[in-house]
Amino acid sequence: MQDVYSTLVSVVRDAFNIDIQPEVSRPDEQFGDYATNVAMQLAGRLRRNQSEVAEVLAGKLKEQLGDTVKSITIAKPGFINITLDDATIYGLAAHASTTKPTGLRGQVIVAEYSDPNPFKVLHVGHLYTSVVGHAIGNLFEAAGGEVHRVNFGGDVGLHVGKTMWAMLDDLGGERPEKLAGIPKEGRAEWMARCYVTGSNIYDDDEHTRDEITALNKRIYELHDNNDHDSPFARLYWTCRQWSYDYFDRFYERIGTPFEKYYPESECAEIGIKTVREQLAKGVYEQSDGAVVFKGEKYGLHTRVFINSQGIPTYEAKDVGLIMRKQQDYHFDRSVVITDNSQEQYMAVVLKSIEQFRPELVKATTHLVHGVVKMKGGTKMSSRKGNILRAVTVLGTAREANKKIGGRDNDEATVLGAVKYAFLKQRMGPDLTYDPDESVSLDGNSGPYLQYAHARARSILSKASAEPATSANSMQPNERSLARKISEYPEVIQQAVNECMPHYVCTYLYELAQAFNRFYEHNRVVGDEREALRVTLITYYAQVLKDGLSLLGIKAPERM
RNA sequence: GCGCCCGUAGCUCAGUGGAUUAGAGUGUCUGGCUUCGAACCAGAAGGUCGCAGGUUCGAAUCCUGCCGGGCGUACCA
């Protein structure tokens, strides 16, 4: 690609004295290995006929590329289609799994995603954001970045007050010793139930609402006073730890570990301090007793950073968070991944920070993904308790796997199915969770890819021929596979550039298809072309495994 | 009201800062395992790319208007 691309640039410069960044694509196989529409772009500027320009460029390209190219043809309006020589394609395939982008080399990148709240339950949305965030982190690493995966969550705030209220009610008062009566495996469930109870009563009962508001304030005070000893504090800290333990176990299980949690409580102080400093400088303003940022002058909306009771809102804590990240990591780039409902909120927070720390905002990217919706349009609400839990999704996938008689490596297959179902969709628009489809083991699915890998490994384990390091000519099925393999580095580059893991999914599926088609019609072991085919399949299996690992999906030898 | 996002086959989605004949999966129908793993492969059927204009040699893709849906819009996170 690089060769074709840079040659094209120089050819255009030579022929027409124009500097251009040409579009080079991978067209349908029947047209060639590469295609470009530069001739049509240039025709207008040059006031010349499109195919005439194409002729000129094609001629020069042929000279420059020499025998690495098999043919260069011109199609309809003025496309130039380039077909590489078999040996060239084979060579590209050989290096596909080791040719990585280098654009982020040496950069320190903080990637924040998942962001569940302690005292609440992990639902399908957390599962999704963890999977997609992890894959994006992997892409950054593939491009040479030093990635730090961090997690931000609300260990203080109204939801904690609600849960704590119900806990106190359930335990019969501030009696931390009674926590011992809750079995380890039932802790998360108990807290989830308390949150639902607390939320409902907050909505329905005015008297209780005041109590919960007061509890919320007490929780902040408990942090301010570094209180770990009072009964209320012991209750709080124990349950907070239960939440983090529960998160850790879950992340470990799905293979998306974090190196650091930023509890909101640890961002509150620096957040408030920063906001107050900037209040004095006029970035933030007093309004109705609260401290706000007026976004209207930037086409955004106004948001409260410190409420009229002096408590920092999520906004101020997010300000604190970005300060903390910078102190801890001195990042070159910070990426925050959340669902799209946070988009305009985050725009306000970042715009406010831009007024006093523009360099931090410049280095920050807010990536958004969709909200997971239920098929049929049922709205999920953790307040009402009608949510799809993350563990339920995994359980459903496990059942599906069992049904088809899942053999070895069940857990890898289950996670492969779930992760791939989420990752294959373009990041951004909302997605619909369909328990049947999302857990699919056939067709365009994770297990399809894992199976296509296991099959290849199985063949390789039976082969004995010495590998062939080069190929002068290939049969059509072999060539299709080789060509597909050769696209890998370009796909990774694109996925990194756009922070879009789904490009990898689409590609890997096409790659596995190319292999399955090859497999259908050709023998490997014992064939006279065994050497070449074994080598080709080795390259293929490497690329497939590497690509899956970028997605956070394991490629077992057998399944 | 204003702002952001979305509308492609029955269903779930690729394709979207221009390009060759709109593609997958799934579901329905059909064919293929004495041969390296059938979680596979091959074929059929299925689409006014929400609607209407506009720009262009060329529009699912860009622009405008409209219709439909989601989210956000001051003291929740």
Side-chain angles (χ1 to χ4, degrees), chain A residues 27 30 41-42 67 72 118 177 194 259 268 295 366 368 378 413 415 423 427 464 471 473 549:
Chain A
Q30 60 180 303
Q41 291 182 335
L42 291 170
D67 57 7
I72 298 180
E177 70 282 359
C194 286
E259 82 177 52
H366 183 211
V368 297
T378 321
T413 309
L415 286 174
L423 289 168
M427 213 175 83
S464 53
S473 75
S549 82

Side-chain angles (χ1 to χ4, degrees), chain A residues 223-457:
Chain A
H223 279 99
D224 290 343
N225 303 331
N226 200 19
D227 175 3
H228 283 73
D229 301 323
S230 71
F232 183 67
R234 281 162 58 206
L235 210 52
Y236 171 85
W237 291 109
T238 302
C239 291
R240 193 186 92 150
Q241 191 54 46
W242 283 4
S243 276
Y244 283 124
D245 292 344
Y246 155 64
F247 295 162
D248 279 340
R249 277 200 304 278
F250 179 74
Y251 291 135
E252 190 184 348
R253 177 176 171 196
I254 68 170
T256 66
F258 288 87
E259 82 177 52
K260 192 173 177 69
Y261 288 98
Y262 280 106
E264 276 183 27
S265 60
E266 293 178 16
C267 299
E269 193 182 332
I270 185 171
I272 283 204
K273 183 168 161 275
T274 307
V275 169
R276 292 215 182 281
E277 278 168 16
Q278 296 306 321
L279 171 65
K281 294 187 179 162
V283 171
Y284 300 98
E285 301 173 36
Q286 290 277 3
S287 178
D288 294 338
V291 179
V292 307
F293 179 76
K294 300 217 163 157
E296 280 75 7
K297 35 189 153 171
Y298 308 99
L300 306 168
H301 59 264
T302 293
R303 297 200 69 101
V304 172
F305 283 64
I306 301 173
N307 74 19
S308 46
Q309 293 181 43
I311 290 179
T313 59
Y314 192 43
E315 285 80 344
K317 295 175 225 171
D318 242 329
V319 171
L321 175 63
I322 197 168
M323 302 299 163
R324 287 286 313 271
K325 285 177 182 168
Q326 174 58 20
Q327 287 171 1
D328 293 347
Y329 295 107
H330 306 286
F331 60 77
D332 298 301
R333 191 167 171 202
S334 170
V335 178
V336 180
I337 304 167
T338 72
D339 77 60
N340 56 33
S341 67
Q342 312 262 330
E343 197 162 10
Q344 291 172 88
Y345 155 81
M346 191 63 79
V348 175
V349 172
L350 291 177
K351 183 54 80 177
S352 80
I353 298 172
E354 192 180 274
Q355 309 309 307
F356 54 94
R357 294 292 297 274
E359 77 286 359
L360 291 184
V361 175
K362 206 172 169 200
T364 300
T365 310
H366 183 211
L367 293 176
V368 297
H369 58 249
V371 175
V372 181
K373 308 213 157 152
M374 301 303 292
K375 196 179 183 186
T378 321
K379 207 171 147 53
M380 283 191 287
S381 160
S382 60
R383 299 155 62 101
K384 292 180 181 139
N386 63 334
I387 43 151
L388 179 62
R389 301 211 178 160
V391 290
T392 308
V393 174
L394 298 178
T396 310
R398 172 162 296 105
E399 286 308 309
N401 186 42
K402 222 179 251 170
K403 230 177 248 172
I404 69 148
R407 291 145 248 182
D408 299 333
N409 297 300
D410 289 359
E411 189 68 9
T413 309
V414 167
L415 286 174
V418 171
K419 289 184 178 185
Y420 188 84
F422 284 132
L423 289 168
K424 74 176 175 182
Q425 292 188 44
R426 186 184 186 86
M427 213 175 83
D430 291 346
L431 47 156
T432 305
Y433 176 80
D434 175 342
D436 300 321
E437 160 73 13
S438 300
V439 128
S440 168
L441 311 172
D442 313 309
N444 188 359
S445 70
Y448 175 97
L449 300 178
Q450 292 172 316
Y451 182 68
H453 175 264
R455 255 179 152 186
R457 298 302 312 174

Side-chain angles (χ1 to χ4, degrees), chain A residues 32-333:
Chain A
D33 297 318
Y34 294 96
T36 178
N37 61 4
V38 267
M40 289 177 288
Q41 291 182 335
L42 291 170
R45 284 169 69 172
L46 296 166
R47 296 175 181 280
R48 289 175 68 172
N49 180 282
Q50 294 178 334
S51 55
E52 193 185 309
V53 175
E55 290 286 356
V56 173
L57 294 176
K60 295 217 170 226
L61 274 173
K62 222 171 263 178
E63 279 172 32
Q64 294 286 318
L65 292 169
D67 57 7
T68 61
V69 103
K70 188 190 282 173
S71 69
I72 298 180
T73 57
I74 292 164
K76 283 177 201 163
F79 289 98
I80 300 172
N81 292 324
I82 300 164
T83 304
L84 298 182
D85 182 64
D86 283 4
T88 314
I89 278 282
Y90 194 82
L92 288 175
H95 297 107
S97 72
T98 50
T99 308
K100 287 284 163 62
T102 54
L104 300 176
R105 189 173 284 169
Q107 287 204 30
V108 174
I109 302 168
V110 176
E112 176 209 326
Y113 51 91
S114 196
D115 297 350
N117 286 332
F119 299 87
K120 289 176 76 171
V121 74
L122 290 167
H123 55 69
V124 62
H126 294 119
L127 174 59
Y128 173 52
T129 186
S130 303
V131 167
V132 85
H134 188 254
I136 288 172
N138 290 347
L139 287 172
F140 291 154
E141 278 176 350
E146 176 190 321
V147 178
H148 300 279
R149 299 155 195 272
V150 306
N151 194 317
F152 181 50
D155 65 329
V156 287
L158 202 57
H159 65 282
V160 184
K162 291 172 179 174
T163 308
M164 290 283 288
W165 185 91
M167 285 175 167
L168 293 174
D169 192 54
D170 195 49
L171 298 173
E174 297 178 17
R175 302 164 70 181
E177 70 282 359
K178 291 201 73 174
L179 288 175
I182 296 162
K184 198 171 178 184
E185 59 282 2
R187 289 170 180 173
E189 175 61 36
W190 177 66
M191 290 169 72
R193 261 205 326 273
C194 286
Y195 175 69
V196 174
T197 307
S199 289
N200 285 332
I201 204 151
Y202 181 88
D203 291 341
D204 298 342
D205 183 87
E206 209 170 303
H207 174 67
T208 312
R209 195 175 308 156
D210 293 340
E211 289 181 15
I212 288 173
T213 308
L215 277 182
N216 186 26
K217 208 158 183 192
R218 274 183 77 189
I219 293 161
Y220 275 96
E221 285 163 6
L222 180 156
H223 279 99
D224 290 343
N225 303 331
N226 200 19
D227 175 3
H228 283 73
D229 301 323
S230 71
F232 183 67
R234 281 162 58 206
L235 210 52
Y236 171 85
W237 291 109
T238 302
C239 291
R240 193 186 92 150
Q241 191 54 46
W242 283 4
S243 276
Y244 283 124
D245 292 344
Y246 155 64
F247 295 162
D248 279 340
R249 277 200 304 278
F250 179 74
Y251 291 135
E252 190 184 348
R253 177 176 171 196
I254 68 170
T256 66
F258 288 87
E259 82 177 52
K260 192 173 177 69
Y261 288 98
Y262 280 106
E264 276 183 27
S265 60
E266 293 178 16
C267 299
E269 193 182 332
I270 185 171
I272 283 204
K273 183 168 161 275
T274 307
V275 169
R276 292 215 182 281
E277 278 168 16
Q278 296 306 321
L279 171 65
K281 294 187 179 162
V283 171
Y284 300 98
E285 301 173 36
Q286 290 277 3
S287 178
D288 294 338
V291 179
V292 307
F293 179 76
K294 300 217 163 157
E296 280 75 7
K297 35 189 153 171
Y298 308 99
L300 306 168
H301 59 264
T302 293
R303 297 200 69 101
V304 172
F305 283 64
I306 301 173
N307 74 19
S308 46
Q309 293 181 43
I311 290 179
T313 59
Y314 192 43
E315 285 80 344
K317 295 175 225 171
D318 242 329
V319 171
L321 175 63
I322 197 168
M323 302 299 163
R324 287 286 313 271
K325 285 177 182 168
Q326 174 58 20
Q327 287 171 1
D328 293 347
Y329 295 107
H330 306 286
F331 60 77
D332 298 301
R333 191 167 171 202

